[in-house]
Each structure stands twice: as C-alpha cells, then as structure tokens.
Amino acid sequence: MRGRRGWASTASAVGGLLLVLTACGPGTDTGTGSASRTPVSLANAPAKLPIPRGKGSKTPDDFNGDGHRDLVLNDLVKDQAHADDPGIGVVYGSARGLTPGARQLITPKKQAAPTKGRLPAVFDAEESCDLDGDGFTDLVVSTDPPYDGQGQPPVPLQLLFGSPGGLTTRAVHLVVPPAARFGNDWADQPVCGDFDGDGGKDLVLHASGGRLTYLRGPFTHKGTAKEAGAPLPSPGEVPTGPAADVNRDGYDDLVVRTAQGTGTSAIVLGGPDGPAETGVVLPEGIDVALGRFGKGKALDAAVGGMGETALRYDLPNPTRATLASAGSVLDAADFDGDGLSELVSSGSRLRVFKGRTTGLSTAGTVIVQPPAHGTTRLVTAADFDGDGRADLVVRTYRSETKDTVAVYAGVKGAGSVTERPTVTFSTSEFLVP
C-alpha cells in the first residue's frame, strides 16, 4: 500500500553488497541469520490456510490482532487482461513473517457498503491504523460513490474494522460532518496518527483551499469520530503519510504537499489542537520519506526528485545536503536494527542507502535484484517477522495477469537486506478459491 511506509529507526555500517536490478537470477543469501530462512512460494503453499485468530495487539497493520504484521496489496493481477480490478489482497503474518497461504481477498461485492443502493466499482486500500482502539488494526478504503458533479461530493472513504478473524465484516461509511469540510473537493487522502497526543488514532483528510479536515478518534463502528471540528489551515492540498513524531514532543506530525506530482511540501506539527502548526518547509520534489538518517534526536526528511534526492537533517533545522543517484519514490526503515534509518529509493533501480551517524551516504549502497523480469516497484518496508529489523517488500509486474511479490529480510551487517527473497508469491493467487 503506497503511503503505508513505516519510518523506523535504522542502521549504519560501512561497505555493502551490490546486486543488480536486472533479470539475472538471484545469488546467495548474505548477512547474519539469512541462511536459516527458507523461501516460500505461494504456488507451492496449500490452496488456502486459515487466518490465525488473535486477541488484540499494538502491532501496526495487525488486522487479526495476533501480534504479527500483515501486508495489504492493491492492484492485484487479473485472471484475464482488461478484466475488472479483483479487489484488495491481505497476506497475514506469523512469527516467521508473512504466510502467503493465510490470505484474504476483499471485494466490493462481499464487503463494501452501498451508496444509494449501489456498490462501488473502485475499492482501494488507503490507510490503516486501530481507529476504535480495540487492538485490531482497521483499514480505510477509497471508493467511487455516485456523484452528479453538483455541490459537495459524498465522502468516498469507508472503514473496514479488524477482528480476531481479520477484516471479515462489511465496511461502513466514514462520517465527515459538513462543519468539518471545506469547499467542494472530495474528502480523501486519509492519514492516520495520534495528532493530539491523547493515545487514540485520528484521521486527517484533504479538504480544499488550504484546509485539512481533522477527525479526532476513537471512531465508532458506525464510522463517526469522537470529535470533528472546523477545518484546519494547511500549507498545502495533499496530506501524506505515514505520520510520525518528528520532533519527539509526543504528538504525531505529517507531511503536507502543495500538490500531486512535483512541488514543495511542509511538516505540519501535531499538538493539543491537532495538526495545526506549520513547521519546516521542504524542497521541491516528488516524494518525501521520514526517518532517522543521522545521529540527531529528531527525525530527518528525504525529498525525492528526478536524478537526485535532497535531504534536510535533524528537523526542524534547515540544514540541507544532496544524495546523488537516488530515485523519486522513497521509503525509510531500519533494516539492520542499529537505530538509524536506511533510505529505500525506487526509480530506474531499487537501491538501499545506508544510514550512518553522519547521515546517508552512497558508499555501500545496496542495489536490490528482483527475482523476476519486469517492472519492479517498492511496496513497503516494515518488520514482518518481529526480529527488530525491517523487511523490504517489492513487486515486479510482467503483465496485467502476471506478477511476483518478493520479501527481502533485513539483516545485520553491510548488506542491509538478504540477497535473495525469503518469501515470494503472485497476487494471482488471491483469485484461487
């Protein structure tokens, strides 16, 4: 799920393993502990495994509450070219990481809420967090409700609530009171975080005209927030996740971009009244990732542009550096567990830049080799096996009907991630009964 990028504190170490983003076959695993991992192919897994039942946890993206992180995938491949989008795929986790056999297909027909008697054709996962505070992560989904183009459009977002069995219930409409909206734009672009520091998860949405809709959690199973005040002033139009406590003051903050595509952005700081204060303004770029790339206490920001990446260290200080040869789509996570963040860069090649106490460097860059031919894209970076090191998930498209999702485990040492994927599968398997 693009945008569900975890920033995790991350690592440093000199040197690194160079792998090439080509169609060559994978090599030998490197890094501490990688030899004990066995690649898993969904094609060889049982037709379907039961989803483990949990009792609730504080683990992010844990829809069944068993303490293990789960993976959400949009844009699944189809059983035939030009067919309708089949829905949203969820792969559930375990103590060993993602278990592709324990998978779930979420479709509008089975789980969407109708609007004016009509089920949506579009059903895309947008954001995830525990909105009702019950220990089971919930999913915010974007839909295409009927709209005649006159006046304020309906709210396109729906909520799927987690449970001991995962995302099993029918969705409900997210309720956004008229007083919390501004203008005639869609109430979309959801970002989840604890922006007021009360321990509950809130939602920020796009409004229009330099405003953000702010919904204080927790949320009920009827889709209503604890409180929804007047829209807040904003330095841009596009709220962007994941939220993080950039300045370590106990309130989550978020990035707000001036527009889709290339443009400037700013850190909007949370506080007792929510995300109402504009912090540092970031350079023009296409994407922003937050992480602890150097030795400072505050998080840092990397701004992806065409051909290079501009960096601002120790936010909100205005220092700036440039990292050459990075791509435009970014993520950040701690792959080797040393407390500093590596930067993942996706462009013509997929690279992992090492975090050091002095900041990011091109020395020791890891270039990740996908297990299949095609166009490879970054999915997310997060800890799926609970070992304290993030794992890298990438996806290679070969056509509308063929793809490969690969998980590279985070490892100690210079390599950052395993050379070969520890889990591989195709999203076509979600279509298998």
Side-chain angles (χ1 to χ4, degrees), residues 318-405:
T319 55
R320 177 175 174 175
T322 301
L323 186 69
S325 303
S328 55
V329 178
L330 307 177
D331 205 344
D334 181 358
F335 292 110
D336 56 7
D338 72 346
L340 297 176
S341 299
E342 276 76 51
L343 178 70
V344 183
S345 165
S346 179
S348 58
R349 287 188 291 182
L350 188 65
R351 304 181 183 212
V352 179
F353 295 93
K354 295 290 290 184
R356 302 180 175 185
T357 55
T358 54
L360 292 168
S361 171
T362 55
T365 302
V366 176
I367 302 178
V368 178
Q369 173 182 304
H373 294 269
T375 302
T376 297
R377 294 286 183 265
L378 168 67
V379 176
T380 192
D383 182 7
F384 289 100
D385 55 11
D387 65 355
R389 299 187 294 268
D391 309 307
L392 178 64
V393 183
V394 302
R395 185 174 175 185
T396 301
Y397 298 84
R398 286 171 283 164
S399 69
E400 285 189 74
T401 61
K402 294 181 180 180
D403 72 347
T404 301
V405 178

Side-chain angles (χ1 to χ4, degrees), residues 83-237:
D84 291 339
D85 186 346
I88 301 167
V90 181
V91 178
Y92 287 86
S94 70
R96 296 189 61 190
L98 292 172
T99 305
R103 61 190 184 270
Q104 178 185 14
L105 177 63
I106 297 171
T107 65
K109 183 178 180 180
K110 289 183 179 180
Q111 290 181 267
T115 302
K116 296 182 178 179
R118 195 182 88 180
L119 288 172
V122 173
F123 209 53
D124 289 332
E126 294 284 349
E127 180 61 296
S128 58
C129 64
D130 186 1
L131 291 169
D132 56 356
D134 64 352
F136 301 92
T137 302
D138 311 308
L139 189 66
V140 185
V141 177
S142 181
T143 68
D144 59 340
Y147 175 53
D148 62 6
Q150 303 298 312
Q152 205 169 63
V155 177
L157 302 176
Q158 298 187 12
L159 307 180
L160 278 166
F161 287 97
S163 72
L167 297 168
T168 57
T169 59
R170 189 169 286 277
V172 300
H173 295 281
L174 174 65
V175 177
V176 182
R181 299 185 67 174
F182 185 87
N184 290 333
D185 282 1
W186 292 91
D188 57 8
Q189 306 287 336
V191 177
C192 185
D194 181 11
F195 301 108
D196 58 5
D198 67 353
K201 294 298 184 181
D202 316 312
L203 281 177
V204 168
L205 313 176
H206 163 75
S208 69
R211 303 286 199 283
L212 296 176
T213 289
Y214 174 48
L215 306 175
R216 292 180 188 259
F219 290 74
T220 71
H221 281 217
K222 293 183 178 180
T224 58
K226 173 184 175 182
E227 184 181 335
L232 300 175
S234 167
E237 295 293 314

